[in-house]
């Protein structure tokens, strides 16, 4: 609920607790934790969580797209291309977008 009510820092803390202390071990929890991390500006943690989500589900295209954008942001173009190349044509993200800044 905190994620959707824009309480990003609280959401980030809850997802980290679920993963680190409660042992939740599915592919969706690290994905939503990664989303919360991005929104709370904890990008390094977002990379780790999205990579974990992707590792648990090879078809986690949202995770791959988010990782690609985060790698792109820090100019890790090779890493971004690897993630983007694994996403099928026609994919549209429900969670991530980007801004072009001049």
């Amino acid at each position: 609920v905190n994620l959707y009510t824009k309480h990003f820092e609280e959401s980030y803390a809850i997802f980290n607790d679920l993963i680190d202390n409660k042992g939740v071990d599915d592919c969706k929890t690290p994905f939503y934790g990664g989303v919360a991390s991005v929104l709370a500006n904890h990008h390094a943690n977002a990379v780790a969580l999205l990579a974990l989500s992707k590792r648990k589900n090879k078809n986690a295209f949202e995770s791959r797209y988010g990782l690609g954008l985060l790698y792109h942001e820090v100019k890790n173009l090779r890493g971004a291309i690897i993630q983007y190349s694994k996403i099928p044509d026609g994919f549209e993200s429900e969670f991530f977008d980007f801004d072009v800044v001049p």
Side-chain angles (χ1 to χ4, degrees), residues 27-64:
C27 68
K28 297 241 182 216
T29 302
F31 171 73
Y32 286 115
V35 171
S37 296
V38 168
L39 293 168
N41 290 313
H42 299 288
H43 292 191
N45 195 49
V47 168
L49 289 169
L50 292 173
L52 180 61
S53 173
K54 174 195 71 152
R55 195 170 306 126
K56 291 184 177 293
N57 177 1
K58 298 292 184 203
N59 293 322
F61 302 125
E62 286 283 357
S63 296
R64 288 188 178 279

Side-chain angles (χ1 to χ4, degrees), residues 5-95:
T5 58
K6 300 185 180 184
H7 295 101
F8 303 131
E9 196 65 42
E10 293 90 342
S11 179
Y12 162 78
I14 290 168
F15 280 110
N16 277 334
D17 182 56
L18 287 170
I19 295 163
D20 296 340
N21 301 321
K22 305 289 192 282
V24 176
D25 192 30
D26 63 356
C27 68
K28 297 241 182 216
T29 302
F31 171 73
Y32 286 115
V35 171
S37 296
V38 168
L39 293 168
N41 290 313
H42 299 288
H43 292 191
N45 195 49
V47 168
L49 289 169
L50 292 173
L52 180 61
S53 173
K54 174 195 71 152
R55 195 170 306 126
K56 291 184 177 293
N57 177 1
K58 298 292 184 203
N59 293 322
F61 302 125
E62 286 283 357
S63 296
R64 288 188 178 279
Y65 186 65
L67 273 173
L69 291 174
L70 289 167
Y71 289 152
H72 215 137
E73 179 180 56
V74 296
K75 298 183 181 15
N76 177 353
L77 299 182
R78 184 169 185 256
I81 289 169
I82 290 169
Q83 298 310 315
Y84 297 148
S85 71
K86 305 280 184 177
I87 299 170
D89 290 340
F91 169 80
E92 291 187 32
S93 177
E94 295 179 34
F95 293 89

